[in-house]
Amino acid sequence: MVRSGKPTIADVASLAGVSVSAVSKVVNGKSGISSSTRERVLAAAAKLRWTPSATAVALRAAKTRAVGMVLRRETNLLSTDPHFTLLIDGIERELAPRGYGLLLHIVGEEQLAEETAYRRLAEEGRVDGVLLTESRVGDTRFALLRDLGLPAVLVGTPWEDDPIPAVRAPHSDCGIHQAVEHLLRYGHRRIGYISGPEDRVHTHHRIRAVEEVLEEHGLGTAPSVTSGDFSPDGAVDAVREMLAHLRPTAILFANDSMAVAGLSTARRLGVEVPRDLSIIGHDDLPMSELVYPRLTTVRQDLVGLGRAAARVLLAALGEVDDGHVQVNPPELVIRESTGPAR
Amino acid sequence: MVRSGKPTIADVASLAGVSVSAVSKVVNGKSGISSSTRERVLAAAAKLRWTPSATAVALRAAKTRAVGMVLRRETNLLSTDPHFTLLIDGIERELAPRGYGLLLHIVGEEQLAEETAYRRLAEEGRVDGVLLTESRVGDTRFALLRDLGLPAVLVGTPWEDDPIPAVRAPHSDCGIHQAVEHLLRYGHRRIGYISGPEDRVHTHHRIRAVEEVLEEHGLGTAPSVTSGDFSPDGAVDAVREMLAHLRPTAILFANDSMAVAGLSTARRLGVEVPRDLSIIGHDDLPMSELVYPRLTTVRQDLVGLGRAAARVLLAALGEVDDGHVQVNPPELVIRESTGPAR
DNA sequence: GTGAAAGCGCTAACAA
DNA sequence: TTGTTAGCGCTTTCAC
């Protein structure tokens, strides 16, 4: 006779000839079970291919063993930039081995859609916590999540010391410091920085990091910053503008896509890289090795950051004791797009 | 007095002064409820910010309102290639409005890890169905999923007419046809094709598509195919090899990353694109507009495919009636990397 | 039009 | 060591 539907704990119990609680204890590794019982239960469970229903366990425990992540697709950032894929890869490496799932939501650019997504996640109780990225100036998500009572961990630097748990790389400015020093060593003096969107917290940190090194070397003046919006199109305009006025001998970009766009723009204007202009990207995404010339860039350990964030969240959920994962500090990867100042 | 924890249907019921079943009927839009009751329930629910618990509903209905997707991270394909991000973007556009979640798993390259992921999804009952991509030669996933009784929809072409429900673009070969014809029109005769991995079903389809056009024009001979593995490194070697032997005047690539790598390799060898060599990519990912010269490429409606697949799955789950979503046919986007044969 | 109660699959408290 | 049972939050008969 064929049983329809999935087997339940009761099926396993009756096949093993024991009570349901015995089965429960066995699969949960509780004590107070004779080894003969244990074996019969295990055999029955294997035979039936039974695994405890995640939903039933979730209802019972009031925990879903899933974490959420909501991503905003702004100016196609999501698809231009494998940034998120790497982060998610890292996150999964911590979640998967512990049987946690990742519930992903991609929402439009409207603020409301994002808020709704978080609200639903919380109110429907679909996840035990969430992971946030792209820390924003005046970020309202932290407050919302606290309000919703949903544990959250941010990848990045919180806005204005908001007490949200956050992970970031050690010596987080040091990659940029290295980048600027690398340029300085090559004799560059007019250095441009094409930043990310102004509503990102890291944008301001990075600008500050560039300035620090410059000041340290007595190049008191602020670097000429033309704010990009992380989109390659914006970068193209910013580069044209910058080349026409500041006439820099080197430009740093806030991400690799913009740097690649910068590379092409230079080429298009007859500016040769690195002979006439040095270019440095940020993140060290796979594309930086694909282009010509290969991009010098500030490597970020995105996979490590993802892992660390997941780990901290898991710790907050009482799943692991030690929320610590090693994250590599950012470092400059020198390739072909930088050279001596003319 | 502050209630701790999330409100339940009972809280709403008592606040509204009705029974729990009345609340249930209201939120589920069932008939047999007076409008006064309805209003009081709605008011109470709003006041308590109550939404039915997804887990409880799932247990009750034996449906989770979530679909799964497991991705293999092979040769860094995942992060090199925003392909998946676009697909997921499309998927979410169908799932989100219906309150469905997307449970994502990224697994290592081992076959076992992938199988385990599907098994868990099914046996733990975490999802109602799954979405598959990257159809493989001799794909074992379809059989596994049937075995597990988990509804599945494939984005792409099934291996050997496997009866798994699948979505693909209309006139799916027509983009490649256009590409080859475009090259022919420019006078190219020695055309190379750098394919994807041989274990992908589409690899063979696309090779066939290229050959068809060539034969049609009396260029009986098969195009010289050097099998890439979708990785840019592989592409670099393939291009070198091809340039040294076949000496093509044009090369088609199975994805944009490889094409971009091809662009750089050519440049590095002193081969100018498109003067000495025309290059065509595949997918039209954002990066194709970033590089110099801008990449001529076969655009695929990845977002549309994601939507369509999600839609078909939703229909299979009885969630929507009509599983139909319009997917744009692939088309050649002509940019700067192609030109007349020398 | 409304409410009481059974039960979805599981775990844990309690009894035996 | 083992089994019985209440109850997690919800939907759905079935009486009223």
Side-chain angles (χ1 to χ4, degrees):
Chain A
M1 170 208 156
V2 178
R3 289 273 292 89
S4 64
K6 282 205 235 308
T8 75
I9 193 173
D11 299 322
V12 178
S14 73
L15 177 59
V18 299
S19 72
V20 292
S21 58
V23 178
S24 175
K25 281 176 188 152
V26 170
V27 297
N28 292 297
K30 304 288 184 194
S31 60
I33 288 289
S34 69
S35 59
S36 83
T37 301
R38 156 167 288 104
E39 271 160 35
R40 296 166 62 210
V41 166
L42 259 17
K47 183 161 181 190
L48 260 31
R49 290 191 174 293
W50 173 84
T51 304
S53 148
T55 342
V57 172
L59 180 59
R60 186 66 246 257
K63 283 176 182 307
T64 57
R65 298 185 76 82
V67 315
M69 189 161 179
V70 1
L71 263 26
R72 250 158 86 162
R73 54 161 170 270
E74 14 189 359
T75 51
N76 260 329
L77 201 88
L78 219 50
S79 40
T80 325
D81 202 336
H83 188 110
F84 298 102
T85 322
L86 288 164
L87 227 37
I88 291 176
D89 191 346
I91 291 167
E92 271 290 301
R93 291 185 199 200
E94 292 294 316
L95 297 187
R98 297 182 177 81
Y100 269 71
L102 177 67
L103 198 56
L104 190 67
H105 274 295
I106 299 189
V107 300
E109 305 201 32
E110 330 76 49
Q111 159 103 27
L112 190 60
E114 185 177 37
E115 187 174 323
T116 306
Y118 285 116
R119 280 195 184 285
R120 292 181 72 142
L121 248 24
E123 285 163 9
E124 298 183 352
R126 267 190 183 265
V127 296
D128 297 335
V130 295
L131 257 8
L132 304 179
T133 181
E134 295 292 298
S135 182
R136 304 200 277 259
V137 170
D139 212 315
T140 57
R141 294 175 296 173
F142 314 149
L144 172 65
L145 262 1
R146 268 195 292 272
D147 204 53
L148 294 169
L150 203 55
V153 173
L154 171 74
V155 180
T157 308
W159 167 238
E160 285 192 339
D161 301 317
D162 187 289
I164 187 174
V167 303
R168 74 209 85 170
H171 314 293
S172 54
D173 290 340
C174 111
I176 292 187
H177 286 176
Q178 286 174 15
V180 179
E181 276 156 11
H182 170 65
L183 293 176
L184 256 19
R185 217 172 298 120
Y186 264 144
H188 294 277
R189 289 300 174 266
R190 286 196 313 284
I191 299 175
Y193 182 69
I194 297 198
S195 76
E198 292 193 339
D199 69 343
R200 286 307 188 298
V201 171
H202 66 224
T203 295
H204 304 277
H205 281 269
R206 293 184 187 166
I207 291 176
R208 188 70 206 114
V210 174
E211 288 176 340
E212 266 167 29
V213 184
L214 257 21
E215 284 166 12
E216 218 168 76
H217 286 74
L219 272 57
T221 130
S224 182
V225 174
T226 304
S227 174
D229 60 356
F230 256 163
S231 79
D233 283 352
V236 169
D237 295 341
V239 170
R240 281 184 192 281
E241 157 81 13
M242 193 176 267
L243 252 20
H245 298 101
L246 172 70
R247 305 187 59 73
T249 59
I251 305 183
L252 289 124
F253 292 80
N255 72 9
D256 286 338
S257 311
M258 292 200 297
V260 169
L263 230 40
S264 315
T265 306
R267 180 91 191 277
R268 222 171 279 283
L269 297 174
V271 174
E272 196 177 310
V273 176
R275 195 196 59 191
D276 305 324
L277 178 71
S278 285
I279 282 185
I280 299 187
H282 199 285
D283 279 359
D284 191 27
L285 299 178
M287 74 167 85
S288 22
E289 282 203 295
L290 266 44
V291 293
Y292 183 90
R294 280 191 275 261
L295 201 59
T296 294
T297 187
V298 176
R299 174 177 294 165
Q300 271 209 94
D301 184 9
L302 293 167
V303 172
L305 282 167
R307 290 186 72 146
R311 194 78 188 234
V312 171
L313 183 55
L314 252 12
L317 299 177
E319 183 65 29
V320 295
D321 286 338
D322 175 14
H324 191 70
V325 166
Q326 157 101 21
V327 180
N328 296 322
E331 59 173 330
L332 182 70
V333 179
I334 300 174
R335 298 208 179 90
E336 305 164 342
S337 65
T338 44
R342 292 202 82 160
Chain B
M1 169 205 155
V2 179
R3 291 274 293 90
S4 63
K6 283 206 237 305
T8 74
I9 193 172
D11 298 322
V12 178
S14 72
L15 178 59
V18 299
S19 71
V20 294
S21 54
V23 177
S24 175
K25 280 171 190 155
V26 170
V27 298
N28 292 296
K30 305 288 184 195
S31 60
I33 289 288
S34 70
S35 59
S36 83
T37 300
R38 156 167 287 105
E39 270 159 35
R40 296 166 61 212
V41 167
L42 259 17
K47 183 161 180 190
L48 262 28
R49 292 190 171 294
W50 174 84
T51 305
S53 147
T55 346
V57 172
L59 179 58
R60 183 70 244 256
K63 283 177 183 305
T64 58
R65 298 185 77 81
V67 316
M69 189 161 180
V70 2
L71 264 26
R72 253 159 84 162
R73 54 163 169 271
E74 16 190 357
T75 50
N76 262 329
L77 201 87
L78 221 49
S79 41
T80 326
D81 203 335
H83 188 109
F84 299 101
T85 321
L86 288 165
L87 226 38
I88 291 176
D89 192 347
I91 291 167
E92 271 289 300
R93 291 184 199 200
E94 292 295 315
L95 297 186
R98 295 179 179 83
Y100 270 71
L102 177 67
L103 199 57
L104 190 67
H105 275 295
I106 300 190
V107 300
E109 304 201 32
E110 329 77 50
Q111 160 103 25
L112 189 60
E114 184 177 36
E115 186 174 323
T116 306
Y118 285 117
R119 279 196 186 285
R120 292 181 71 142
L121 247 25
E123 285 165 9
E124 298 183 352
R126 267 190 183 267
V127 297
D128 297 335
V130 294
L131 259 6
L132 303 178
T133 181
E134 296 292 298
S135 183
R136 304 200 277 260
V137 170
D139 213 316
T140 57
R141 295 175 295 174
F142 314 151
L144 172 64
L145 262 2
R146 267 194 293 272
D147 205 52
L148 294 170
L150 202 55
V153 174
L154 172 73
V155 181
T157 308
W159 166 240
E160 285 193 339
D161 300 318
D162 187 289
I164 187 174
V167 302
R168 74 210 83 169
H171 314 294
S172 53
D173 290 339
C174 110
I176 292 186
H177 286 177
Q178 286 173 15
V180 180
E181 276 157 11
H182 170 64
L183 292 175
L184 256 20
R185 218 172 298 120
Y186 264 144
H188 294 277
R189 289 300 174 267
R190 287 196 312 285
I191 297 175
Y193 182 70
I194 297 197
S195 76
E198 292 192 340
D199 69 344
R200 286 308 188 297
V201 171
H202 67 223
T203 294
H204 305 277
H205 280 269
R206 292 184 188 168
I207 292 176
R208 188 71 206 113
V210 174
E211 288 176 341
E212 266 169 28
V213 183
L214 256 22
E215 285 166 11
E216 218 168 75
H217 285 74
L219 273 55
T221 131
S224 180
V225 174
T226 304
S227 174
D229 61 356
F230 256 162
S231 78
D233 283 351
V236 169
D237 295 341
V239 170
R240 281 184 191 282
E241 156 80 14
M242 192 176 267
L243 251 21
H245 298 101
L246 172 69
R247 305 188 59 72
T249 60
I251 305 183
L252 289 124
F253 292 81
N255 72 10
D256 287 337
S257 311
M258 293 200 298
V260 170
L263 229 40
S264 314
T265 306
R267 180 91 191 277
R268 222 170 280 284
L269 298 174
V271 174
E272 194 176 310
V273 176
R275 196 197 58 192
D276 306 324
L277 178 70
S278 283
I279 282 185
I280 299 188
H282 199 285
D283 279 359
D284 191 27
L285 299 178
M287 73 168 87
S288 27
E289 281 202 297
L290 266 44
V291 293
Y292 183 90
R294 279 189 277 259
L295 201 61
T296 294
T297 187
V298 176
R299 173 177 295 166
Q300 270 209 93
D301 183 8
L302 293 167
V303 172
L305 283 166
R307 291 186 70 147
R311 193 79 187 231
V312 172
L313 183 55
L314 252 11
L317 299 177
E319 183 65 28
V320 295
D321 287 339
D322 173 15
H324 190 68
V325 166
Q326 156 101 20
V327 179
N328 296 322
E331 59 172 330
L332 182 70
V333 179
I334 300 173
R335 297 209 180 89
E336 305 164 344
S337 65
T338 44
R342 289 200 82 162

